[in-house]
Amino acid sequence: MDLGLKGKVALVAGASQGMGRASALGFAREGAKVAICARGEAALNEAAAAIRKATGGEVLAMVADMAKPEDIKKFVNQSAGHFGRLDIIVNNAGGPPPGEFLKFTDEDWNNAYNLSFMSTMRMTREAVPHMRKAGGGRVINITSYSVKEPITGLVLSNAVRSAVIGLAKTLSRELARDNILINNICPGRIDTERAQKLNKARADRLGRPVEEINKEMAAEVPLGRYGTAEETADVIVFLGSDRASYVTGTTIQIDGGLVRGIQ
């Protein structure tokens, strides 16, 4: 299937590892030009080199922190200027830390809001004018299955990521007339560095080996395993493509059947 991505420009945040890196690679394999950012320069440059080697595609790498407004503005506008257009953005930032409600301060809540919500809002706001010039665009937000089924011990993520869903649904209606489609993906238990850190934190809290926690968490998934970053990226690339031209305002689980809700 031709996804119609050749010559398009995709910006992927948090792309030095995990789902962000896999998504950037997926877009490049389909012929898109890709701009990627992350906080760590060494890992970012390694990811860019690996994507270029695997695809022969054009990759622009830029150090940027999604918690900093000036970094987001620079990443979006310089990338659009470099490539001459902007068609797709993937909003992706590290999630808030685990913990119980009464242990978090106002500063913790502000940091979580800034990282997980404001980064999405800011990057989308910067991208929309460029997408209008291009005649349309795609916004894909990487959130979490916690927006469908709150996760114990992740109160910051449960609350703040749900706000992203409300924003996306609102903008999907407001920007539809510009042919700008906005969708969310909700990864379940995906084998990423963040998942490993959360399992380690859970193991430490319960005083149990992390290997036991890993097995238990995988066993709760109907498919009996963790998903891969590549499996998540496949859905993201589809949502960014011409083949998803009638899909907007949706929140799609990639969870191996983990969420028990009907919708």
Side-chain angles (χ1 to χ4, degrees):
M1 179 187 294
D2 181 3
L3 295 181
L5 286 166
K6 291 181 177 63
K8 296 290 181 69
V9 174
L11 275 61
V12 184
S16 63
Q17 62 184 6
M19 291 177 282
R21 176 169 173 162
S23 298
L25 176 60
F27 280 114
R29 280 179 172 156
E30 294 296 328
K33 300 173 183 178
V34 178
I36 62 175
C37 76
R39 289 177 297 176
E41 185 172 11
L44 177 67
N45 289 336
E46 188 277 326
I51 294 169
R52 292 188 194 105
K53 182 177 180 180
T55 67
E58 189 174 352
V59 183
L60 175 67
M62 190 178 304
V63 175
D65 184 344
M66 288 296 101
K68 296 179 178 179
E70 62 274 16
D71 283 14
I72 293 173
K73 183 173 291 190
K74 180 181 177 182
F75 176 53
V76 173
N77 293 315
Q78 288 194 8
S79 297
H82 176 84
F83 290 118
R85 63 182 295 143
L86 193 164
D87 302 283
I88 304 150
I89 62 170
V90 178
N91 288 314
N92 178 40
E100 297 176 357
F101 173 62
L102 292 179
K103 294 182 179 179
F104 289 120
T105 64
D106 282 2
E107 183 179 7
D108 295 324
W109 279 98
N110 286 331
N111 288 340
Y113 178 72
N114 187 53
L115 177 64
S116 295
F117 179 83
M118 292 301 290
S119 66
T120 296
M121 185 282 294
R122 288 168 178 147
M123 191 153 150
T124 304
R125 184 174 61 190
E126 291 298 323
V128 164
H130 297 289
M131 291 179 174
R132 281 175 168 161
K133 289 179 183 179
R138 305 286 190 271
V139 177
I140 302 107
N141 303 315
I142 298 180
T143 61
S144 165
Y145 81 94
S146 66
V147 305
K148 296 273 187 122
E149 183 177 301
I151 302 171
T152 301
L154 290 182
V155 62
L156 294 176
S157 182
N158 295 340
V160 178
R161 290 188 190 277
S162 294
V164 172
I165 305 302
L167 173 68
K169 190 65 174 179
T170 303
L171 293 183
S172 71
R173 299 181 64 84
E174 183 175 326
L175 298 176
R177 61 180 174 268
D178 297 307
N179 195 34
I180 297 174
L181 313 184
I182 303 181
N183 294 288
N184 313 293
I185 64 110
C186 303
R189 292 179 184 163
I190 309 298
D191 189 12
T192 63
E193 184 175 303
R194 174 167 168 79
Q196 293 164 9
K197 287 181 179 179
L198 290 175
N199 283 1
K200 180 64 165 57
R202 181 182 177 91
D204 291 345
R205 186 173 69 251
L206 298 176
R208 297 174 56 195
V210 69
E211 293 78 12
E212 288 185 5
I213 300 298
N214 289 338
K215 289 180 180 179
E216 286 182 1
M217 299 291 272
E220 290 179 2
V221 180
L223 288 182
R225 63 175 177 86
Y226 271 64
T228 67
E230 291 72 23
E231 287 173 316
T232 307
D234 287 343
V235 179
I236 291 171
V237 172
F238 171 74
L239 289 173
S241 76
D242 288 350
R243 302 284 75 79
S245 58
Y246 202 59
V247 182
T248 192
T250 64
T251 300
I252 301 173
Q253 297 151 220
I254 308 171
D255 66 350
L258 178 63
V259 174
R260 292 174 172 82
I262 294 172
Q263 297 184 358

